[in-house]
Amino acid sequence: MIDERESFLRAIFDASEDDMPRLVFADWLEERGEGLMARAIRHSIEIYRNGPQADPTSYFTSPSGMMELLTHDQIEQLQGVARWKLPVEETERIFSLPLREFHTENQLKKTLTHRPLYYTAKRLTIRGDGLQIRDEKLFDLLFSSSALRSVNELVICGDEIPITGTITDDMGLLTELPVFEIAIKPMITLSGVESLARHRGASRLIGLDLRHNQLGNDALRSLARSPYLDSLKYLRIAEGNQFRGRVWQLLIERFGELVVS
């Protein structure tokens, strides 16, 4: 169920050039006792509209002036809501979330409403941090989230874990320089891939990256037979997975040579 704050944020990002949803949200914040946040939004709109002609004596004239009055948490909640100029990397709409944020619906909603720029996300990278996707839970939350409604590219790559070691002789003395290697910890299991392949929400995906998950033939077959992945423009799966025989040809036949890599 969408709460009030989430619905206000969704309205703002659905009509990003219209300031009316921002002003309505500011009124709502003020009624809730968040007057400073409301004031920051209104003044940012005023500065945005008036440009260089804005009152230079206002301490809300620049983002840096606002930030002196707002807490770090408030600044995060205003990113993309107030009319502040966003860094280039944020406007590319590429974001990442750790898997632990998908523990419950309330936890995910709290994270996303406190970081509004996620409402603009097109590509989302899921980070494992030692956890794995084993069932449909993550996909249920992701595809039903109002905040993540714009996501149409999903990156679920295995975690790279650095391993260091040395080579010593029988006496325990160092004989060679330290050895640095990278081990791969899969982020999604066969059952996780099968859950994604049969999830109706997958029909909106245009991009899917599943590299470095040590997936076998069964996982690739489930993707090839999915009734919902018709819109894919790229499927990155060759690197770091373990398949053999004709299964690769099944992917090519389903998605095309220009899609699968």
Side-chain angles (χ1 to χ4, degrees):
M1 182 178 179
I2 300 177
D3 60 23
E4 283 188 276
R5 186 181 294 266
E6 189 177 2
S7 64
F8 281 123
L9 292 174
R10 185 70 270 165
I12 289 170
F13 288 105
D14 281 347
S16 59
E17 295 305 312
D18 184 359
D19 286 327
M20 185 54 66
R22 289 180 169 86
L23 293 171
V24 173
F25 183 46
D27 292 341
W28 182 80
L29 288 172
E30 192 159 42
E31 290 172 1
R32 288 172 50 87
E34 300 181 59
L36 184 58
M37 295 265 288
R39 192 174 179 186
I41 292 172
R42 295 190 188 110
H43 277 263
S44 72
I45 292 172
E46 181 181 349
I47 301 305
Y48 179 81
R49 289 176 176 175
N50 297 333
Q53 306 305 316
D55 178 9
T57 63
S58 169
Y59 49 69
F60 282 115
T61 296
S62 68
S64 59
M66 296 184 199
M67 291 180 184
E68 292 176 2
L69 299 171
L70 299 168
T71 66
H72 177 76
D73 184 57
Q74 288 173 323
I75 291 171
E76 278 204 334
Q77 292 183 54
L78 287 171
Q79 291 299 312
V81 177
R83 281 290 199 175
W84 298 343
K85 184 176 181 180
L86 302 178
V88 172
E89 61 269 23
E90 291 179 331
T91 61
E92 292 177 352
R93 303 183 182 185
I94 300 173
F95 298 89
S96 66
L97 272 175
L99 187 52
R100 63 177 178 272
E101 297 292 351
F102 291 86
H103 181 62
T104 65
E105 181 179 1
N106 286 338
Q107 182 174 352
L108 179 63
K109 185 179 294 185
K110 182 178 180 181
T111 296
L112 298 176
T113 54
H114 281 71
R115 302 175 190 171
L117 283 176
Y118 278 100
Y119 283 69
T120 69
K122 295 293 185 182
R123 182 188 303 167
L124 185 68
T125 297
I126 307 298
R127 304 197 312 272
D129 297 339
L131 302 176
Q132 287 185 317
I133 302 170
R134 298 178 178 272
D135 52 34
E136 69 282 350
K137 181 179 178 180
L138 175 141
F139 304 114
D140 285 342
L141 292 174
L142 190 158
F143 292 125
S144 65
S145 169
S146 173
L148 299 175
R149 193 172 69 194
S150 298
V151 171
N152 57 19
E153 298 178 69
L154 200 53
V155 179
I156 308 176
C157 293
D159 290 329
E160 295 186 340
I161 303 173
I163 298 177
T164 60
T166 56
I167 300 177
T168 59
D169 59 20
D170 293 339
M171 301 294 293
L173 299 175
L174 181 66
T175 59
E176 293 188 28
L177 294 175
V179 177
F180 298 92
E181 296 181 353
I182 296 293
I184 300 298
K185 181 175 179 58
M187 246 209 66
I188 188 168
T189 64
L190 168 60
S191 58
V193 173
E194 291 174 339
S195 297
L196 173 60
R198 62 174 178 259
H199 202 293
R200 188 179 299 273
S203 61
R204 79 188 199 206
L205 293 179
I206 65 170
L208 182 59
D209 190 338
L210 294 173
R211 290 172 295 168
H212 300 301
N213 283 298
Q214 298 178 3
L215 298 171
N217 286 9
D218 288 342
L220 272 66
R221 286 192 192 96
S222 68
L223 293 172
R225 296 167 180 169
S226 169
Y228 300 115
L229 291 172
D230 293 332
S231 299
L232 283 186
K233 295 182 179 179
Y234 72 82
L235 172 61
R236 296 176 184 145
I237 199 168
E239 188 177 351
N241 291 302
Q242 302 169 347
F243 48 87
R244 59 189 180 279
R246 191 176 177 275
V247 68
W248 183 256
Q249 189 59 34
L250 289 178
L251 290 180
I252 299 298
E253 291 173 0
R254 170 66 193 279
F255 301 113
E257 292 184 356
L258 297 180
V259 173
V260 183
S261 63

